[in-house]
């Protein structure tokens, strides 16, 4: 069954939770100001743009300050949001390579003026159509689909759910040690295919709790207001009403 999406109002403040939406809008602005985004000989975004993106995108874990602690320069593949942005813009046909520049097309420029519609387009493009295996160090594909993942997370992440709990629900796996290859393969898949995309699009927010015995137990995911404003799911009627006192 296809997942039904609503289009948030363009003025909805919850759109501010979408890091990917923010990155696309900023990148279009950069390209307009600089006559496009410079490319390397291999057709990757060049270091000038990659460093600018790391300084200006809303990704603390991929910020220039964080990444430049470990390396002297930043290439496209060093900043995963930039890599994703480039591949996603190609697959969504929002621009093209013209000689030594990436140029956004009129459709992309128009989308920037309608952020609600752009968010929905990015959701379709990044959740449902993007090849997430290119983000994994060791590609592994587990069973499942977005209809299942979204409907389960819709209920379980209403008040917060751990990564470990989701892994047990979806795949019946629990961590039995650092060498538990089955667990870590499934954990990598769930993170790169499901949880990170939902966080990058502003539908989930994750926090790290102290005092738990493993990273997957410490990592807790909660839905943002943007989730309810975008997804229309079969499990919506299972959610407990929010009481106002």
């Amino acid at each position: 069954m296809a997942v039904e999406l609503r289009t948030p109002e363009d003025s909805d403040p919850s759109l501010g939770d979408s890091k990917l939406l923010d990155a696309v809008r900023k990148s279009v602005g950069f390209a307009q100001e600089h006559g496009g985004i410079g490319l390397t000989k291999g057709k990757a975004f060049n270091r000038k743009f990659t460093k600018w993106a790391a300084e200006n995108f809303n990704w603390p874990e991929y910020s220039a300050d964080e990444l430049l602690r470990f390396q002297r320069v930043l290439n496209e593949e060093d900043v995963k949001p930039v890599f994703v942005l480039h591949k996603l813009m190609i697959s969504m046909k929002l621009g093209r390579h013209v000689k030594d520049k990436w140029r956004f097309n009129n459709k992309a420029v128009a989308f920037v003026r309608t952020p609600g519609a752009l968010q929905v387009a990015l959701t379709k493009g990044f959740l449902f159509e993007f090849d997430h295996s290119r983000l994994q160090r060791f590609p592994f594909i587990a069973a499942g689909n977005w209809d299942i993942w979204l409907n389960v997370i819709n209920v379980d992440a209403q008040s917060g759910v751990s990564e470990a709990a989701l892994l047990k629900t979806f795949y019946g796996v629990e961590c039995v040690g650092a060498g538990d290859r089955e667990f870590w393969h499934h954990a990598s898949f769930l993170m790169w295919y499901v949880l990170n995309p939902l966080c990058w699009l502003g539908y989930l927010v994750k926090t790290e709790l102290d005092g738990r015995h493993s990273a997957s137990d410490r990592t807790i995911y909660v839905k943002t207001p943007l989730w309810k404003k975008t997804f229309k799911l079969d499990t919506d009627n299972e959610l407990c009403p929010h009481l106002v006192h």
Side-chain angles (χ1 to χ4, degrees), residues 110 126 131 140 177 210 239:
F126 190 41
D131 179 10
F140 170 81
D210 296 328
L239 301 177

Side-chain angles (χ1 to χ4, degrees), residues 16-27 49-67 74 78-86 88-89 119 122 126 135 192 195-202 204 206:
D17 292 328
S18 177
K19 296 178 181 180
L20 193 54
L21 174 65
D22 177 69
V24 172
R25 299 180 76 187
K26 286 177 177 175
S27 298
F49 174 77
T50 300
K51 183 174 184 291
W52 176 88
E55 292 171 342
N56 288 276
F57 286 0
N58 183 27
W59 259 287
E61 64 270 39
Y62 295 108
S63 69
D65 287 343
E66 184 67 23
L67 295 175
L74 296 178
D78 299 321
V79 187
K80 278 191 168 65
V82 175
F83 175 83
V84 167
L85 174 74
H86 192 178
L88 185 59
M89 295 300 93
Q119 174 69 13
L122 292 171
F126 190 41
L135 299 174
W192 287 111
L195 298 176
N196 274 355
L198 288 170
C199 288
W200 288 14
L201 283 161
L204 292 177
K206 69 177 180 179

Side-chain angles (χ1 to χ4, degrees), residues 17 90-91 104 161 179 211 223-224 236:
D17 292 328
I90 292 172
S91 65
F104 287 101
V161 63
K223 296 186 301 183
T224 68
D236 285 343

Side-chain angles (χ1 to χ4, degrees), residues 38-49:
L39 300 172
T40 67
K41 291 182 180 179
K43 299 299 183 183
F45 287 162
N46 65 16
R47 289 175 178 173
K48 176 182 178 180
F49 174 77

Side-chain angles (χ1 to χ4, degrees), residues 133-153:
S133 66
R134 62 181 71 188
L135 299 174
Q136 294 176 284
R137 180 173 297 179
F138 303 107
F140 170 81
I141 306 298
N145 59 59
W146 280 106
D147 191 34
I148 295 171
W149 296 324
L150 289 172
N151 273 290
V152 170
I153 294 172

Side-chain angles (χ1 to χ4, degrees), residues 7 30 45 93 105 121 148 150 182 207 232:
T7 302
F30 178 97
F45 287 162
K93 297 182 170 61
N105 57 26
I148 295 171
L150 289 172
E182 180 186 21
T207 57
K232 186 176 182 181

